[in-house]
């Protein structure tokens, strides 16, 4: 059978472009030679129609609400797996056997501590420093504290990959807990030999004189939350990690760039905006109608937060899982949260509203994730840094794909220049 191709005609010239078919049947026109052969480039603001890479990590079908990591449906991972196992799967491509799981967990445990020199970075920040501002700086400092793992030579860095990967995941978790302690004027709590999620809760909530007592429901909910954020294909922060990595940058530096990308309200900051919105509805005693009406005005600043997605034109499968988990967690903890009731009412109202229906705007993962974090005692201003702990495996796996690709090129998009055409330099006395 003849390989499929695509034909385009520009300036009267016919071009035949090869077609690529992914392992789940997604189709792409291979435009790598387009500019060379025609002088044209594709204009695709925001890259929504551009495949920037081939990747074997995560499959996402936004039209049908499907998300799979290394082939495994997110629903199955959420039911049967935990964060550490899913992180291993995402990074290494297979579910770990018992020995691999134990080694991985041990590496995470052994690399949790933040050295005394690195702890001093915290002292330079005001207590009011925003958590994401602190996290971006401290994560990028890992390259300075562990230069032997961050040489900017892919061959060497890949030899040390297992250690660097475990260090990144484990230390981001410790740094996040320390940010919380620092901002609340509390002493740092050192990590212990505890499972990943419990160790985080211990570093957050233990006191020097009373150790945090793990609560199985809380541990399970935190695992679920982190797992659901572990990877999400070529999202803004992951693409940023790949772009930085494509220049030859080491794992820590590339991840730090991902943390920066995550900080924006349309990406990692959306869960904070959702809680602020739900809280205002609560405080105003409104039923959400005002927010729904305002969101329909078309202004970016009035969007219904936690709704819509750059890729999903269907329910975000993570939102279904997390929405259900919210009810379960609150019931198991014997808590209730009026914001959960408001969220459910808002969801129902939006799903019946023609504006949202016609644009295929459904709740995304951020719509409910904040309610779970609130139930776990995590303050709203920490939500985005929590997302960073969850997303670390995805960033790491994507960095590894870039670093391992010996035929990879530096990411360097083109542009359509719309500025002033050529003009001559004028001396100061001739300027208006
Ligand atoms: C996620 C997001 C940035 C995707 O943006 P995008 O790809 O530009 O959005 P789309 O192309 O799907 O938008 C299609 C239409 O829906 C509107 N729209 C998208 N999200 C909306 C929202 N949350 N509230 C109201 N209107 C929205 C857009 O204004 C656009 O309207 P138009 O066709 O009249 O111009 C956007 O949906 C958003 O801002 N959501 C709220 C923030 C959020 O929850 N982010 C977390 C993502 S996990």
């Amino acid at each position: 059978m003849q390989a499929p191709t695509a034909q385009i005609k520009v300036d009267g010239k016919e071009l035949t472009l090869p077609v690529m078919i992914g392992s789940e049947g997604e189709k792409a026109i291979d435009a790598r030679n387009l500019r060379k052969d025609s002088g044209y480039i594709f204009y695709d603001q925001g890259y929504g129609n551009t495949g920037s890479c081939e990747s074997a990590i995560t499959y996402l079908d936004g039209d049908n609400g499907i998300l799979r990591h290394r082939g495994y449906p997110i629903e199955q991972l959420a039911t049967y797996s935990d964060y550490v196992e899913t992180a291993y799967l995402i990074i290494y491509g297979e579910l770990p056997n018992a020995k691999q799981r134990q080694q991985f967990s041990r590496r995470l445990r052994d690399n949790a501590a933040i050295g005394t020199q690195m702890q001093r970075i915290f002292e330079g920040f005001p207590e009011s420093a925003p958590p994401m501002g602190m996290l971006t700086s401290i994560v990028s400092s890992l390259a300075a504290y562990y230069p032997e793992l961050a040489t900017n030579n892919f061959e060497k860095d890949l030899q040390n990959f297992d250690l660097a990967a475990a260090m990144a995941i484990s230390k981001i978790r410790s740094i996040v807990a320390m940010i919380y302690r620092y901002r609340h004027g509390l002493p740092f709590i050192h990590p212990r030999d505890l499972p990943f999620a419990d160790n985080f809760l211990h570093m957050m909530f233990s006191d020097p004189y009373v150790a945090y007592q793990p609560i199985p429901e809380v541990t399970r909910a935190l695992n679920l939350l982190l797992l659901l954020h572990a990877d999400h294909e070529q999202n803004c922060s992951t693409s940023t990690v790949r772009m930085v990595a494509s220049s030859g940058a080491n794992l820590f530096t590339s991840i730090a760039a991902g943390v920066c990308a995550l900080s924006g309200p349309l990406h990692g900051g959306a869960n904070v905006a959702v809680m602020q919105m739900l809280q205002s509805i609560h405080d105003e005693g409104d039923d959400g109608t005002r927010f729904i009406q305002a969101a329909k005005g078309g202004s970016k600043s009035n969007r219904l937060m936690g709704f819509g997605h750059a890729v999903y034109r269907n329910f975000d499968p993570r939102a279904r899982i997390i929405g259900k988990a919210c009810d379960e967690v609150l019931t198991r903890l014997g808590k209730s949260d009026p914001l959960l009731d408001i969220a459910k009412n808002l969801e129902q109202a939006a799903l019946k509203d023609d504006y949202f229906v016609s644009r295929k705007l459904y709740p995304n993962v951020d719509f409910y994730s904040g309610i779970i974090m609130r139930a776990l005692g995590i303050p709203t201003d920490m939500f985005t840094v929590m997302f960073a702990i969850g997303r670390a495996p995805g960033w790491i796996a994507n960095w590894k794909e870039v670093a391992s690709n010996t035929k990879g090129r530096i990411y360097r998009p083109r542009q359509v220049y719309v500025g002033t055409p050529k003009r001559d330099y004028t001396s100061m006395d001739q300027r208006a």
Side-chain angles (χ1 to χ4, degrees):
M1 202 178 79
Q2 216 178 350
T5 55
Q7 273 70 42
I8 60 166
K9 199 169 179 182
V10 269
D11 293 342
K13 188 176 165 189
E14 286 243 14
L15 292 172
T16 299
L17 303 177
V19 162
M20 297 166 73
I21 313 275
S23 52
E24 288 283 357
E26 1 34 300
K27 300 187 264 304
I29 297 169
D30 181 348
R32 273 174 288 187
N33 290 325
L34 179 66
R35 188 171 176 279
K36 181 165 71 65
D37 293 345
S38 69
Y40 280 77
I41 57 170
F42 283 127
Y43 174 66
D44 182 21
Q45 202 270 330
Y47 312 131
N49 296 284
T50 298
S52 62
C53 60
E54 289 179 272
S55 178
I57 303 167
T58 288
Y59 173 66
L60 201 169
D61 174 350
D63 294 325
N64 295 305
I66 292 173
L67 175 64
R68 296 184 201 132
H69 298 313
R70 304 288 190 181
Y72 295 102
I74 190 68
E75 293 80 5
Q76 291 184 22
L77 293 171
T79 307
Y80 304 116
S81 186
D82 63 11
Y83 172 69
V84 169
E85 185 181 71
T86 299
Y88 185 98
L89 169 72
I90 287 171
I91 295 170
Y92 293 104
E94 295 296 336
L95 287 167
N97 60 30
K99 189 167 167 225
Q100 289 164 332
R101 164 82 200 223
Q102 196 191 29
Q103 275 174 345
F104 187 54
S105 293
R106 202 170 288 159
R107 246 183 261 124
L108 293 175
R109 180 198 66 187
D110 294 348
N111 288 287
I114 301 297
T116 45
Q117 280 187 328
M118 203 171 155
Q119 285 185 26
R120 276 190 226 123
I121 298 183
F122 284 83
E123 289 162 25
F125 289 105
E127 269 186 22
S128 59
M132 275 306 269
M134 292 177 79
L135 189 68
T136 48
S137 326
I138 303 172
V139 172
S140 55
S141 80
L142 286 170
Y145 286 99
Y146 302 96
E148 68 286 3
L149 304 179
T151 64
N152 288 353
N153 172 326
F154 279 161
E155 218 172 294
K156 281 192 194 153
D157 287 352
L158 283 171
Q159 281 164 14
N160 293 311
F161 175 76
D162 292 344
L163 177 57
M167 197 179 260
I169 294 177
S170 196
K171 288 204 195 308
I172 289 177
R173 167 193 55 172
S174 306
I175 294 165
V176 168
M178 289 166 78
I179 289 173
Y180 171 80
R181 305 285 302 180
Y182 184 79
R183 296 180 76 248
H184 288 81
L186 298 167
F188 293 145
I189 299 293
H190 297 302
R192 284 176 40 206
D193 187 5
L194 288 170
F196 190 88
D198 285 339
N199 217 358
F200 172 72
L201 294 163
H202 153 71
M203 287 188 272
M204 286 276 286
F205 299 127
S206 280
D207 280 314
Y209 40 88
V210 188
Y212 166 82
Q213 295 303 317
I215 304 165
E217 287 78 10
V218 170
T219 306
R220 216 171 301 136
L222 179 57
N223 257 307
L224 178 68
L225 186 87
L226 296 176
L227 182 154
L228 289 178
H229 286 85
D231 190 38
H232 208 232
E233 208 226 38
Q234 296 311 313
N235 57 86
C236 178
S237 58
T238 302
S239 298
T240 303
V241 169
R242 285 188 89 111
M243 177 164 273
V244 174
S246 79
S247 75
N250 66 75
L251 177 68
F252 299 141
T253 306
S254 303
I255 287 180
V259 181
C260 292
L262 191 68
S263 63
L266 297 186
H267 189 12
N271 48 21
V272 177
V274 170
M275 292 313 279
Q276 285 163 347
M277 178 182 77
L278 296 177
Q279 191 65 53
S280 321
I281 295 174
H282 180 255
D283 295 348
E284 288 172 17
D286 180 42
D287 60 357
T289 313
R290 190 175 71 75
F291 276 83
I292 291 190
Q293 284 310 326
K296 287 162 36 170
S299 144
K300 271 197 176 165
S301 49
N302 284 333
R303 283 184 168 177
L304 192 63
M305 297 316 286
F307 256 73
H309 196 274
V311 180
Y312 291 116
R313 295 290 175 261
N314 202 320
F315 253 91
D316 176 341
R318 302 166 303 167
R320 282 191 202 275
I321 298 169
I322 216 160
K324 200 163 148 264
C326 271
D327 271 328
E328 287 166 10
V329 171
L330 290 171
T331 309
R332 281 198 226 125
L333 294 178
K335 291 185 180 178
S336 65
D337 189 339
L339 299 197
L340 177 59
D341 300 330
I342 292 173
K344 282 183 186 168
N345 290 338
L346 205 57
E347 176 183 335
Q348 288 314 314
L351 291 177
K352 282 189 207 124
D353 191 302
D354 189 52
Y355 174 93
F356 295 91
V357 175
S358 63
R359 287 169 178 77
K360 298 189 175 166
L361 300 170
Y362 294 91
N364 59 50
V365 69
D366 295 309
F367 195 65
Y368 286 111
S369 63
I371 293 171
I372 289 212
M373 285 195 266
R374 231 161 90 104
L376 304 186
I378 295 162
T380 309
D381 56 14
M382 293 288 291
F383 286 2
T384 316
V385 291
M386 293 298 298
F387 189 159
I389 308 178
R391 185 52 53 86
W395 292 333
I396 292 167
N398 276 274
W399 178 87
K400 194 178 181 208
E401 270 193 348
V402 175
S404 312
N405 182 1
T406 48
K407 295 202 178 89
R409 296 182 62 189
I410 189 163
Y411 281 31
R412 193 355 185 140
R414 299 267 175 175
Q415 64 168 14
V416 178
Y417 177 68
V418 294
T420 312
K422 181 182 177 289
R423 53 182 165 170
D424 291 322
Y425 181 82
T426 47
S427 58
M428 184 68 82
D429 58 342
Q430 289 177 321
R431 293 177 210 165

